[in-house]
Coordinates of all heavy atoms in Angstrom, one line a residue:
M1459 N 13.0 -8.1 -2.8 CA 12.4 -6.9 -2.1 C 11.1 -6.4 -2.8 O 11.2 -6.1 -4.1 CB 13.5 -5.9 -1.9 CG 13.0 -4.6 -1.2 SD 12.7 -4.8 0.5 CE 14.2 -4.9 1.3
N1460 N 10.1 -6.3 -2.0 CA 8.9 -5.7 -2.6 C 8.9 -4.3 -2.4 O 9.3 -3.7 -1.3 CB 7.6 -6.4 -2.0 CG 7.5 -7.7 -2.4 OD1 7.1 -8.1 -3.6 ND2 7.8 -8.7 -1.5
E1461 N 8.5 -3.5 -3.3 CA 8.4 -2.1 -3.2 C 7.0 -1.5 -3.2 O 6.3 -1.7 -4.2 CB 9.4 -1.4 -4.3 CG 9.6 0.0 -4.0 CD 10.5 0.6 -4.9 OE1 10.7 0.2 -6.1 OE2 11.1 1.7 -4.5
V1462 N 6.7 -0.9 -2.2 CA 5.3 -0.2 -2.2 C 5.5 1.3 -2.1 O 6.2 1.8 -1.3 CB 4.5 -0.6 -0.9 CG1 3.2 0.0 -0.9 CG2 4.5 -2.1 -0.8
I1463 N 4.8 2.0 -3.0 CA 4.9 3.4 -3.0 C 3.6 4.0 -2.9 O 2.6 3.7 -3.7 CB 5.5 4.0 -4.4 CG1 7.0 3.3 -4.5 CG2 5.7 5.6 -4.4 CD1 7.5 3.6 -6.0
I1464 N 3.4 4.8 -1.8 CA 2.0 5.3 -1.6 C 2.0 6.8 -1.8 O 2.9 7.5 -1.3 CB 1.7 4.9 -0.1 CG1 1.7 3.4 0.0 CG2 0.2 5.6 0.3 CD1 1.4 2.9 1.5
C1465 N 1.1 7.3 -2.5 CA 0.9 8.7 -2.8 C 0.6 9.5 -1.6 O -0.4 9.1 -1.0 CB 0.0 8.9 -3.9 SG -0.2 10.6 -4.3
V1466 N 1.4 10.4 -1.3 CA 1.2 11.3 -0.2 C 0.9 12.7 -0.6 O 1.0 13.7 0.1 CB 2.1 11.2 1.0 CG1 2.1 9.9 1.6 CG2 3.5 11.6 0.5
G1467 N 0.6 12.9 -2.0 CA 0.2 14.1 -2.4 C -1.0 14.7 -1.8 O -1.7 14.0 -1.1
S1468 N -1.4 16.0 -2.0 CA -2.4 16.6 -1.2 C -3.7 15.9 -1.3 O -4.5 15.7 -0.3 CB -2.5 18.1 -1.4 OG -2.5 18.4 -2.8
S1469 N -4.1 15.5 -2.5 CA -5.4 14.9 -2.8 C -5.5 13.5 -2.0 O -6.4 13.2 -1.4 CB -5.8 14.8 -4.2 OG -6.9 14.1 -4.4
C1470 N -4.5 12.7 -2.3 CA -4.5 11.3 -1.7 C -4.3 11.5 -0.1 O -4.9 10.7 0.6 CB -3.3 10.5 -2.2 SG -3.7 10.0 -3.9
H1471 N -3.6 12.4 0.2 CA -3.4 12.8 1.7 C -4.8 12.9 2.3 O -5.2 12.3 3.4 CB -2.6 13.9 1.9 CG -2.4 14.2 3.4 ND1 -1.7 13.6 4.4 CD2 -3.0 15.2 4.2 CE1 -1.9 14.0 5.5 NE2 -2.6 15.1 5.4
L1472 N -5.7 13.8 1.6 CA -7.0 14.0 2.2 C -7.8 12.7 2.1 O -8.8 12.7 2.9 CB -7.7 15.2 1.3 CG -7.1 16.5 1.6 CD1 -7.8 17.5 0.5 CD2 -7.4 17.0 3.0
K1473 N -7.6 11.8 1.2 CA -8.4 10.7 1.1 C -7.9 9.5 2.1 O -8.3 8.4 2.0 CB -8.4 10.2 -0.3 CG -9.2 11.1 -1.3 CD -9.2 10.7 -2.6 CE -10.1 11.5 -3.5 NZ -10.1 11.0 -4.8
G1474 N -6.8 9.9 2.9 CA -6.4 9.0 3.9 C -5.2 8.2 3.6 O -5.0 7.0 4.1
S1475 N -4.3 8.7 2.8 CA -3.1 7.9 2.4 C -2.3 7.6 3.8 O -1.6 6.5 3.9 CB -2.3 8.5 1.4 OG -1.9 9.8 1.7
E1476 N -2.4 8.5 4.7 CA -1.5 8.1 6.0 C -2.1 6.9 6.7 O -1.2 6.2 7.1 CB -1.6 9.4 6.9 CG -0.9 10.7 6.5 CD 0.4 10.6 6.0 OE1 1.3 9.9 6.7 OE2 0.9 11.3 5.1
R1477 N -3.2 6.9 6.6 CA -3.9 5.6 7.2 C -3.6 4.3 6.5 O -3.3 3.3 7.0 CB -5.5 5.8 7.3 CG -6.2 4.7 8.1 CD -5.8 4.7 9.5 NE -6.3 3.5 10.2 CZ -5.6 2.5 10.8 NH1 -4.3 2.7 10.9 NH2 -6.2 1.5 11.3
V1478 N -3.5 4.4 5.2 CA -3.2 3.2 4.3 C -1.7 2.9 4.7 O -1.5 1.7 4.8 CB -3.3 3.7 2.8 CG1 -2.8 2.5 2.0 CG2 -4.7 3.9 2.5
I1479 N -0.8 3.8 4.8 CA 0.5 3.6 5.2 C 0.6 2.9 6.6 O 1.3 1.9 6.7 CB 1.4 4.8 5.3 CG1 1.5 5.5 3.8 CG2 2.8 4.6 6.0 CD1 2.3 6.7 3.8
E1480 N -0.2 3.4 7.5 CA -0.2 2.8 8.9 C -0.8 1.3 8.8 O -0.1 0.4 9.4 CB -1.1 3.5 9.8 CG -0.6 4.7 10.4 CD -1.7 5.5 11.2 OE1 -2.7 4.9 11.5 OE2 -1.4 6.7 11.3
I1481 N -1.7 1.0 8.0 CA -2.3 -0.3 7.9 C -1.2 -1.2 7.3 O -1.0 -2.3 7.7 CB -3.6 -0.2 7.0 CG1 -4.7 0.4 7.8 CG2 -4.0 -1.7 6.6 CD1 -6.0 0.7 7.1
F1482 N -0.5 -0.7 6.2 CA 0.4 -1.6 5.6 C 1.6 -2.0 6.6 O 2.1 -3.0 6.7 CB 1.0 -0.9 4.3 CG 0.2 -1.2 3.1 CD1 -1.1 -1.2 3.1 CD2 0.8 -1.4 1.9 CE1 -1.8 -1.5 2.0 CE2 0.2 -1.7 0.7 CZ -1.3 -1.7 0.8
K1483 N 2.1 -0.9 7.4 CA 3.0 -1.1 8.4 C 2.6 -2.1 9.4 O 3.4 -2.9 9.9 CB 3.5 0.1 9.0 CG 4.4 1.0 8.0 CD 5.0 2.2 8.7 CE 5.9 3.0 7.8 NZ 6.2 4.3 8.2
E1484 N 1.3 -1.9 9.8 CA 0.9 -2.9 10.8 C 0.8 -4.3 10.3 O 1.3 -5.2 10.9 CB -0.7 -2.6 11.1 CG -0.9 -1.5 12.0 CD -2.4 -0.9 12.1 OE1 -3.2 -1.7 11.7 OE2 -2.5 0.2 12.4
E1485 N 0.5 -4.5 9.0 CA 0.4 -5.8 8.4 C 1.9 -6.4 8.2 O 2.1 -7.7 8.4 CB -0.2 -5.8 7.0 CG -1.7 -5.6 7.1 CD -2.5 -6.8 7.7 OE1 -2.2 -7.9 7.5 OE2 -3.4 -6.4 8.6
I1486 N 2.8 -5.5 7.9 CA 4.2 -6.0 7.8 C 4.7 -6.5 9.2 O 5.3 -7.6 9.2 CB 5.2 -4.9 7.4 CG1 4.8 -4.5 5.9 CG2 6.6 -5.2 7.5 CD1 5.5 -3.3 5.3
K1487 N 4.4 -5.8 10.2 CA 4.8 -6.2 11.5 C 4.1 -7.5 12.0 O 4.8 -8.4 12.4 CB 4.5 -5.0 12.5 CG 5.4 -5.0 13.7 CD 5.2 -3.7 14.4 CE 5.9 -3.7 15.7 NZ 5.5 -2.6 16.6
K1488 N 2.8 -7.4 11.8 CA 2.0 -8.6 12.3 C 2.5 -9.9 11.5 O 2.4 -10.9 12.2 CB 0.6 -8.3 12.0 CG -0.4 -9.2 12.5 CD -1.9 -8.7 12.5 CE -2.6 -9.0 11.2 NZ -3.8 -8.3 11.0
N1489 N 2.9 -9.8 10.4 CA 3.2 -11.0 9.6 C 4.7 -11.2 9.5 O 5.2 -12.1 8.7 CB 2.6 -10.9 8.2 CG 1.1 -10.9 8.2 OD1 0.4 -11.9 8.7 ND2 0.5 -9.7 7.9
N1490 N 5.5 -10.4 10.2 CA 6.9 -10.7 10.3 C 7.5 -10.6 8.9 O 8.4 -11.4 8.6 CB 7.3 -11.8 10.8 CG 7.5 -11.7 12.3 OD1 7.9 -10.7 12.8 ND2 6.9 -12.7 13.0
L1491 N 7.2 -9.6 8.1 CA 7.7 -9.5 6.6 C 8.9 -8.5 6.7 O 8.6 -7.4 7.1 CB 6.6 -9.2 5.8 CG 5.2 -10.0 5.8 CD1 4.3 -9.4 4.9 CD2 5.6 -11.4 5.3
N1492 N 9.9 -8.9 6.3 CA 11.1 -7.9 6.2 C 11.6 -7.7 4.9 O 12.6 -7.1 4.6 CB 12.2 -8.4 7.2 CG 12.5 -9.8 6.9 OD1 12.2 -10.4 5.8 ND2 13.1 -10.5 7.9
D1493 N 10.8 -8.1 3.8 CA 11.3 -7.8 2.5 C 10.3 -6.8 1.7 O 10.2 -6.8 0.5 CB 11.2 -9.2 1.7 CG 9.9 -9.6 1.5 OD1 9.0 -9.4 2.3 OD2 9.8 -10.5 0.6
I1494 N 9.7 -5.9 2.5 CA 8.9 -5.0 1.9 C 9.3 -3.5 2.3 O 9.5 -3.2 3.5 CB 7.3 -5.2 2.4 CG1 6.8 -6.5 2.0 CG2 6.4 -4.1 1.7 CD1 5.5 -6.9 2.5
K1495 N 9.5 -2.7 1.3 CA 9.9 -1.3 1.6 C 8.8 -0.5 1.2 O 8.2 -0.4 0.0 CB 11.1 -1.0 0.7 CG 11.6 0.3 0.7 CD 12.9 0.5 0.0 CE 13.4 1.8 -0.1 NZ 12.9 2.4 -1.3
I1496 N 8.4 0.5 2.2 CA 7.3 1.3 1.9 C 7.9 2.7 1.8 O 8.7 3.2 2.6 CB 6.2 1.4 3.1 CG1 5.5 0.0 3.1 CG2 5.2 2.5 2.9 CD1 4.4 0.0 4.1
S1497 N 7.5 3.5 0.7 CA 7.8 4.9 0.7 C 6.7 5.7 0.1 O 5.7 5.2 -0.4 CB 9.1 5.0 -0.1 OG 8.9 4.4 -1.4
G1498 N 6.7 7.0 0.4 CA 5.7 7.8 -0.1 C 6.2 8.5 -1.4 O 7.4 8.6 -1.8
S1499 N 5.2 9.0 -2.1 CA 5.5 9.8 -3.4 C 4.7 11.0 -3.4 O 3.7 11.0 -2.8 CB 5.3 8.8 -4.6 OG 3.9 8.9 -4.9
F1500 N 5.2 11.9 -4.3 CA 4.3 13.1 -4.6 C 3.2 12.6 -5.5 O 3.1 11.3 -5.9 CB 5.1 14.2 -5.2 CG 6.2 14.7 -4.3 CD1 7.5 14.6 -4.6 CD2 5.7 15.3 -3.2 CE1 8.5 15.1 -3.7 CE2 6.7 15.9 -2.3 CZ 8.0 15.7 -2.6
C1501 N 2.4 13.4 -5.9 CA 1.2 13.2 -6.8 C 1.5 12.2 -7.8 O 2.5 12.5 -8.6 CB 0.6 14.5 -7.3 SG -0.8 14.2 -8.3
Q1502 N 0.8 11.2 -8.0 CA 1.1 10.2 -9.1 C 0.1 10.5 -10.4 O 0.1 9.7 -11.2 CB 0.8 8.7 -8.5 CG 1.8 8.4 -7.4 CD 1.6 6.9 -7.0 OE1 0.8 6.1 -7.5 NE2 2.3 6.5 -5.9
G1503 N -0.5 11.6 -10.4 CA -1.3 12.2 -11.5 C -2.7 11.5 -11.6 O -3.1 11.5 -12.8
N1504 N -3.1 10.9 -10.7 CA -4.4 10.3 -10.8 C -5.2 10.5 -9.6 O -6.0 9.7 -9.1 CB -4.2 8.8 -10.9 CG -5.3 7.9 -11.3 OD1 -6.2 8.5 -11.9 ND2 -5.5 6.6 -10.9
C1505 N -5.3 11.8 -9.3 CA -5.9 12.2 -8.0 C -7.4 11.8 -7.9 O -7.9 11.5 -6.7 CB -5.9 13.8 -7.9 SG -4.3 14.5 -8.0
T1506 N -8.2 11.8 -9.0 CA -9.6 11.5 -8.7 C -9.9 10.1 -8.4 O -10.9 9.8 -7.7 CB -10.4 11.8 -10.1 OG1 -9.7 11.1 -11.1 CG2 -10.5 13.2 -10.4
E1507 N -8.8 9.2 -8.6 CA -8.9 7.9 -8.2 C -8.3 7.5 -6.9 O -8.1 6.3 -6.6 CB -8.5 6.9 -9.2 CG -9.0 7.2 -10.8 CD -10.4 6.6 -10.8 OE1 -10.8 5.7 -10.3 OE2 -11.2 7.3 -11.5
G1508 N -7.8 8.4 -6.2 CA -7.0 8.2 -5.0 C -7.6 7.4 -3.9 O -8.8 7.3 -3.9
V1509 N -7.1 6.9 -3.0 CA -5.6 6.9 -2.8 C -4.9 6.0 -3.8 O -5.3 4.9 -4.1 CB -5.2 6.4 -1.5 CG1 -3.7 6.4 -1.2 CG2 -5.9 7.3 -0.3
N1510 N -3.9 6.5 -4.4 CA -3.1 5.7 -5.4 C -1.8 5.1 -4.8 O -1.1 5.9 -4.1 CB -2.7 6.6 -6.6 CG -3.9 7.1 -7.4 OD1 -4.5 6.2 -8.1 ND2 -4.3 8.3 -7.3
I1511 N -1.6 3.9 -5.2 CA -0.3 3.4 -4.6 C 0.3 2.4 -5.8 O -0.4 2.2 -6.9 CB -0.5 2.3 -3.5 CG1 -1.3 1.1 -3.8 CG2 -1.3 3.1 -2.4 CD1 -1.3 0.1 -2.6
E1512 N 1.5 2.1 -5.7 CA 2.2 1.2 -6.6 C 2.8 0.1 -5.8 O 3.5 0.4 -4.8 CB 3.2 2.0 -7.3 CG 2.8 2.6 -8.5 CD 4.0 3.3 -9.4 OE1 5.1 2.8 -9.3 OE2 3.8 4.3 -9.9
I1513 N 2.6 -1.1 -6.2 CA 3.1 -2.3 -5.6 C 4.0 -3.0 -6.7 O 3.5 -3.4 -7.6 CB 2.2 -3.3 -5.0 CG1 1.5 -2.6 -3.9 CG2 3.0 -4.5 -4.4 CD1 0.3 -3.4 -3.3
N1514 N 5.3 -2.9 -6.5 CA 6.2 -3.5 -7.5 C 5.8 -3.0 -8.9 O 5.7 -3.7 -9.9 CB 6.2 -5.1 -7.4 CG 6.7 -5.4 -6.1 OD1 7.6 -4.8 -5.4 ND2 6.2 -6.6 -5.7
K1515 N 5.7 -1.7 -9.0 CA 5.4 -0.9 -10.3 C 4.0 -1.2 -10.8 O 3.6 -0.7 -11.9 CB 6.4 -1.4 -11.4 CG 7.8 -1.3 -10.9 CD 8.5 0.0 -11.6 CE 10.1 -0.1 -11.4 NZ 10.3 0.6 -10.1
Q1516 N 3.2 -2.0 -10.1 CA 1.8 -2.1 -10.6 C 1.0 -1.0 -9.9 O 1.0 -0.9 -8.7 CB 1.3 -3.5 -10.2 CG -0.1 -3.8 -10.8 CD -0.7 -5.0 -10.2 OE1 0.0 -5.9 -9.7 NE2 -2.0 -5.2 -10.3
K1517 N 0.3 -0.3 -10.7 CA -0.6 0.9 -10.1 C -1.8 0.2 -9.6 O -2.5 -0.5 -10.4 CB -0.8 1.9 -11.2 CG 0.5 2.6 -11.6 CD 0.0 3.6 -12.6 CE 1.3 4.3 -13.2 NZ 2.2 5.0 -12.3
I1518 N -2.2 0.8 -8.4 CA -3.4 0.3 -7.9 C -4.1 1.7 -7.4 O -3.5 2.4 -6.7 CB -3.4 -0.7 -6.8 CG1 -2.6 -1.9 -7.2 CG2 -4.6 -1.0 -6.1 CD1 -2.0 -2.7 -6.1
A1519 N -5.3 1.8 -7.8 CA -6.1 3.0 -7.5 C -7.3 2.7 -6.4 O -7.5 1.6 -6.2 CB -6.7 3.6 -8.7
A1520 N -7.7 3.7 -5.8 CA -8.9 3.7 -4.9 C -8.6 2.8 -3.7 O -9.5 1.9 -3.3 CB -10.1 3.2 -5.7
V1521 N -7.4 3.0 -3.2 CA -7.1 2.2 -1.9 C -7.7 3.1 -0.7 O -7.6 4.4 -0.9 CB -5.6 2.1 -1.8 CG1 -5.3 1.3 -0.5 CG2 -5.0 1.4 -3.0
N1522 N -8.3 2.4 0.2 CA -8.7 3.1 1.3 C -8.6 2.3 2.6 O -8.1 1.2 2.4 CB -10.2 3.6 1.1 CG -11.1 2.4 0.8 OD1 -10.9 1.3 1.4 ND2 -11.9 2.6 -0.2
K1523 N -9.0 2.8 3.7 CA -8.7 2.0 4.9 C -9.5 0.7 4.9 O -9.2 -0.2 5.7 CB -8.9 2.9 6.2 CG -10.3 3.3 6.4 CD -10.2 4.2 7.8 CE -11.6 4.7 8.2 NZ -12.6 5.2 7.3
E1524 N -10.5 0.7 4.3 CA -11.4 -0.5 4.2 C -10.8 -1.6 3.4 O -10.9 -2.8 3.8 CB -12.9 -0.2 3.7 CG -13.9 0.4 4.7 CD -13.6 2.0 4.9 OE1 -13.1 2.6 4.1 OE2 -13.7 2.4 6.0
N1525 N -10.2 -1.3 2.3 CA -9.7 -2.3 1.3 C -8.2 -2.6 1.5 O -7.7 -3.5 0.8 CB -10.2 -2.1 -0.1 CG -9.5 -0.9 -0.7 OD1 -8.6 -0.3 -0.1 ND2 -10.0 -0.5 -1.8
A1526 N -7.5 -1.7 2.2 CA -6.1 -1.7 2.4 C -5.5 -3.1 2.7 O -4.5 -3.6 2.1 CB -5.5 -0.7 3.2
R1527 N -6.1 -3.7 3.8 CA -5.6 -5.0 4.2 C -5.7 -6.2 3.2 O -4.9 -7.0 2.9 CB -6.3 -5.4 5.5 CG -5.8 -4.8 6.7 CD -6.5 -5.1 8.0 NE -6.6 -4.0 8.8 CZ -5.5 -3.5 9.7 NH1 -4.4 -4.1 9.6 NH2 -5.7 -2.4 10.3
E1528 N -6.8 -6.1 2.6 CA -7.2 -7.1 1.5 C -6.1 -6.9 0.3 O -5.6 -7.9 -0.2 CB -8.6 -6.7 1.0 CG -9.2 -7.8 0.1 CD -10.5 -7.4 -0.4 OE1 -11.3 -6.8 0.4 OE2 -10.7 -7.5 -1.5
I1529 N -5.9 -5.7 -0.1 CA -4.9 -5.4 -1.2 C -3.5 -5.9 -0.7 O -2.8 -6.5 -1.5 CB -4.9 -3.9 -1.6 CG1 -6.2 -3.6 -2.3 CG2 -3.7 -3.5 -2.3 CD1 -6.5 -2.1 -2.5
F1530 N -3.2 -5.5 0.5 CA -1.9 -6.0 1.0 C -1.7 -7.5 0.9 O -0.7 -8.1 0.4 CB -1.7 -5.6 2.6 CG -0.4 -5.8 3.1 CD1 0.6 -4.9 3.1 CD2 -0.1 -7.1 3.7 CE1 1.8 -5.3 3.6 CE2 1.0 -7.5 4.1 CZ 2.1 -6.5 4.2
K1531 N -2.7 -8.2 1.4 CA -2.6 -9.7 1.3 C -2.6 -10.2 0.0 O -1.8 -11.0 -0.4 CB -4.0 -10.3 2.0 CG -3.9 -10.0 3.5 CD -4.8 -10.8 4.4 CE -4.5 -10.7 5.8 NZ -5.5 -9.9 6.6
K1532 N -3.4 -9.6 -0.9 CA -3.4 -10.1 -2.3 C -2.2 -9.9 -3.0 O -1.6 -10.8 -3.7 CB -4.6 -9.4 -3.0 CG -4.8 -9.8 -4.4 CD -6.1 -9.4 -5.0 CE -6.0 -9.4 -6.5 NZ -6.7 -8.4 -7.1
H1533 N -1.5 -8.8 -2.8 CA -0.4 -8.4 -3.6 C 1.0 -8.6 -2.9 O 2.0 -8.9 -3.6 CB -0.3 -6.9 -4.0 CG -1.5 -6.7 -5.0 ND1 -1.3 -6.7 -6.3 CD2 -2.7 -6.4 -4.8 CE1 -2.5 -6.4 -6.8 NE2 -3.3 -6.1 -6.0
L1534 N 1.0 -8.8 -1.6 CA 2.2 -8.9 -0.9 C 2.4 -10.2 0.0 O 3.5 -10.5 0.3 CB 2.5 -7.8 0.0 CG 2.7 -6.4 -0.9 CD1 2.4 -5.2 0.0 CD2 4.1 -6.4 -1.4
M1535 N 1.4 -10.9 0.2 CA 1.5 -12.1 1.0 C 1.5 -13.3 0.1 O 1.8 -14.3 0.6 CB 0.5 -12.1 2.1 CG 0.9 -11.0 3.1 SD -0.1 -11.0 4.5 CE 0.3 -12.6 5.3
H1536 N 1.0 -13.1 -1.1 CA 0.9 -14.3 -2.0 C 2.4 -14.9 -2.2 O 2.5 -16.0 -2.2 CB 0.3 -13.6 -3.3 CG 0.3 -14.6 -4.4 ND1 -0.6 -15.6 -4.4 CD2 1.0 -14.8 -5.6 CE1 -0.6 -16.3 -5.6 NE2 0.4 -15.9 -6.2
D1537 N 3.3 -13.9 -2.5 CA 4.7 -14.4 -2.6 C 5.3 -15.4 -1.5 O 6.0 -16.3 -1.8 CB 5.7 -13.3 -2.7 CG 5.5 -12.5 -4.0 OD1 4.7 -13.0 -4.9 OD2 6.1 -11.5 -4.2
Q1538 N 4.8 -15.0 -0.4 CA 5.3 -15.8 0.8 C 5.0 -17.2 0.8 O 5.6 -18.1 1.3 CB 4.8 -15.1 2.1 CG 4.9 -13.6 2.2 CD 6.3 -13.3 2.5 OE1 7.0 -14.0 3.3 NE2 7.0 -12.2 1.9
N1539 N 3.9 -17.5 0.1 CA 3.4 -18.9 0.2 C 3.9 -19.7 -1.0 O 3.5 -20.9 -1.1 CB 1.8 -18.9 0.2 CG 1.3 -18.0 1.3 OD1 2.0 -18.2 2.4 ND2 0.2 -17.3 1.1
E1540 N 4.6 -19.1 -1.9 CA 4.9 -19.8 -3.2 C 6.2 -20.7 -2.8 O 7.0 -20.4 -1.9 CB 5.2 -18.9 -4.3 CG 4.0 -18.4 -4.9 CD 4.2 -17.4 -6.1 OE1 5.4 -16.9 -6.2 OE2 3.3 -17.0 -6.6
Ligands
LIG2582 S1 -2.4 13.4 -4.9 FE1 -2.2 11.3 -5.3 S2 -2.5 11.1 -7.3 FE2 -2.6 13.1 -7.1

């Protein structure tokens, strides 16, 4: 199971974390992935670099609607092909 935690604290929320969650959910559906769990977190303490997310404990900063799909593919679809 892959675990994605997306910050929905107020700063990351303002920077579009809800949209990042939507994009991740769209990708999960589109690619029929059922081993990814998405959850929200409170502030991850790195507001200036938001939106902050964690994928399997790896912290990734500056996620936005433009790069979310690319990040998803890089970190979550790689495993599928191994
Ligand atoms: S609100 Fe997301 S890191 Fe602070």
Side-chain angles (χ1 to χ4, degrees):
M1459 179 64 75
N1460 291 289
E1461 192 175 24
V1462 180
I1463 303 172
I1464 298 176
C1465 180
V1466 292
S1468 46
S1469 174
C1470 289
H1471 176 76
L1472 287 174
K1473 290 181 176 179
S1475 56
E1476 300 297 329
R1477 185 66 191 121
V1478 172
I1479 293 175
E1480 276 171 24
I1481 290 170
F1482 272 42
K1483 286 188 174 163
E1484 281 166 24
E1485 289 296 323
I1486 288 172
K1487 209 169 168 191
K1488 193 163 89 191
N1489 298 292
N1490 272 321
L1491 306 173
N1492 47 23
D1493 65 339
I1494 300 174
K1495 177 172 169 270
I1496 294 191
S1497 51
S1499 77
F1500 292 117
C1501 179
Q1502 296 182 3
N1504 190 29
C1505 303
T1506 52
E1507 305 285 325
V1509 173
N1510 292 288
I1511 72 171
E1512 277 184 27
I1513 298 180
N1514 297 328
K1515 310 255 185 276
Q1516 184 188 343
K1517 292 183 189 299
I1518 302 167
V1521 183
N1522 55 45
K1523 65 181 189 309
E1524 279 77 32
N1525 65 15
R1527 278 178 220 279
E1528 195 184 315
I1529 289 169
F1530 182 94
K1531 286 193 180 117
K1532 183 168 164 214
H1533 292 271
L1534 292 161
M1535 293 185 63
H1536 180 64
D1537 286 356
Q1538 307 287 317
N1539 304 324
E1540 278 174 359

